[in-house]
Amino acid sequence: DRATILDNCLRCPHERIVVTHGTDTMTDTARVLGEAGLAKTVVLTGAMVPYAFGSSDGLFNLGSALSFVQALPHGVYVAMNGRCFPWNDVVKNRALGIFEPRGKGDRT
């Protein structure tokens, strides 16, 4: 699936791309895209709370990603909870239910 996402980003005629993605493996996909060295701005985002639960953060995260993708230089980023991280400096902190810079907190 990551190869398909990368291929679509490469073939996309646009320089600014937002990818909605499940949060459990979002950083893995960001790494694949980041290591590819795309000459584009790609922002991955998702929801920590599924939409089916009624008060999902997904729409807020999507709105943030749409703003970040317009303002950031070329590169691959993860946008969650109003924050944006470069692909190589982000982890999902499952204990806290947030994304944060690498090297912070518990990653269980």
Side-chain angles (χ1 to χ4, degrees), residues 57-93:
D57 58 335
L59 290 177
F60 174 79
N61 291 335
L62 180 58
S64 295
L66 290 170
S67 295
F68 286 126
V69 79
Q70 294 177 69
L72 292 168
H74 286 175
V76 177
Y77 305 89
V78 170
M80 293 291 294
N81 306 109
R83 298 182 70 190
C84 192
F85 308 93
W87 70 270
N88 59 351
D89 189 24
V90 62
V91 293
K92 180 178 179 180
N93 183 324

Side-chain angles (χ1 to χ4, degrees), residues 6-84:
L6 174 59
D7 183 55
N8 279 294
C9 287
L10 288 167
R11 292 186 307 129
C12 179
H14 304 290
E15 286 191 29
R16 301 183 183 282
I17 302 167
V18 172
V19 177
T20 57
H21 199 289
T23 61
D24 284 345
T25 59
M26 184 183 298
T27 57
D28 298 330
T29 301
R31 179 182 38 80
V32 169
L33 298 176
E35 289 176 349
L38 302 170
K40 300 179 180 208
T41 304
V42 181
V43 178
L44 289 89
T45 194
M48 294 298 284
V49 180
Y51 184 75
F53 290 164
S55 73
S56 175
D57 58 335
L59 290 177
F60 174 79
N61 291 335
L62 180 58
S64 295
L66 290 170
S67 295
F68 286 126
V69 79
Q70 294 177 69
L72 292 168
H74 286 175
V76 177
Y77 305 89
V78 170
M80 293 291 294
N81 306 109
R83 298 182 70 190
C84 192

